[in-house]
Amino acid sequence: MRFVVSGTDTDIGKTVFCAGLCGLLGARYWKPVQAGLPSDSDMVAELTGTEIVPEAYTLQLPASPHQAAAEEGIAIDPDTLNPPQGPLVIEGAGGLMVPLTRERLYIDIFARWKLPLILCARTKLGTINHTLLSIEAIRRRGISLHGVAFIGDANDESEKIITEIGRVKRLGRLPMIEPLTAGRLAGVFAKTFDRADFA
């Protein structure tokens, strides 16, 4: 049971979703490349207490990994990024087309891994276009799309048309949680997502 989690954009709540999924599945968490601190691994550990697989690269600048690495004189080697075995949730950086280097995108690594991918999509205006474009890119590379997880306030029509046109499973919707605590996340996640959908 290993999943890749990517998004239609950056800063949409993907890390919180990953934390909730790790808690639901009892899985470890891995963010291969962290650009910007504090790290997403720290947030996931705080929200779930799950085991964290150390990042392969930790970079200071909150930017695209290719840019953050260049600023520090570090060369990212995408071929060395290989998921550990066992139950695992892997979080990419931002969206699918984020560059790891000037030649390789995150989506290229996802295609090499051949693991099922969960696409996180916000529910705000613009999500239909962004999500359908992402679904098309995923399928063009032969990646197995496990489903779409929506994040934000309910937007029934947008969620419905995305799943219909995209021919993709709706896994559920994670509302914004305020205040965000470990207990509240676990409770809300268990109500909005079904563990059987990730079997």
Side-chain angles (χ1 to χ4, degrees):
M1 183 167 44
R2 296 187 295 171
F3 293 103
V4 172
V5 177
S6 190
T8 56
D9 200 352
T10 192
D11 198 28
I12 64 172
K14 187 169 75 275
T15 301
V16 176
F17 171 81
C18 285
L21 186 60
C22 284
L24 186 72
L25 302 180
R28 295 184 296 164
Y29 170 86
W30 185 43
K31 181 143 190 177
V33 180
Q34 173 67 46
L37 299 173
S39 73
D40 292 334
S41 294
D42 290 340
M43 176 186 282
V44 172
E46 182 178 335
L47 288 173
T48 66
T50 191
E51 181 182 344
I52 304 296
V53 178
E55 298 92 343
Y57 298 90
T58 302
L59 309 166
Q60 302 293 317
L61 184 68
S64 171
H66 86 285
Q67 180 183 355
E71 291 282 340
E72 296 183 34
I74 294 172
I76 294 175
D77 182 357
D79 292 330
T80 65
L81 301 177
N82 295 300
Q85 295 299 314
L88 185 69
V89 174
I90 306 167
E91 182 181 358
L96 294 159
M97 297 292 190
V98 168
L100 284 164
T101 69
R102 290 193 173 275
E103 295 79 30
R104 305 280 287 283
L105 307 175
Y106 249 110
I107 196 169
D108 299 322
I109 307 306
F110 298 158
R112 176 170 66 80
W113 288 345
K114 300 187 185 307
L115 295 176
L117 185 145
I118 297 168
L119 181 65
C120 289
R122 66 172 90 236
T123 56
K124 292 183 179 179
L125 187 65
T127 193
I128 296 173
N129 179 65
H130 294 164
T131 308
L132 292 178
L133 283 172
S134 296
I135 290 171
E136 184 170 321
I138 290 165
R139 290 190 170 135
R140 278 179 178 266
R141 284 167 171 78
I143 298 169
S144 172
L145 179 57
H146 188 74
V148 173
F150 292 96
I151 300 175
D153 295 334
N155 189 333
D156 293 340
E157 181 53 34
S158 290
E159 295 176 39
K160 184 177 180 182
I161 198 68
I162 286 168
T163 54
E164 287 178 2
I165 294 176
R167 303 182 309 282
V168 63
K169 181 177 179 61
R170 178 190 182 279
L171 296 170
R173 180 181 59 82
L174 182 64
M176 295 303 172
I177 303 171
E178 295 290 346
L180 178 60
T181 65
R184 285 173 61 84
L185 175 60
V188 171
F189 208 92
K191 289 179 181 178
T192 54
F193 293 92
D194 186 347
R195 193 179 192 280
D197 286 335
F198 302 95

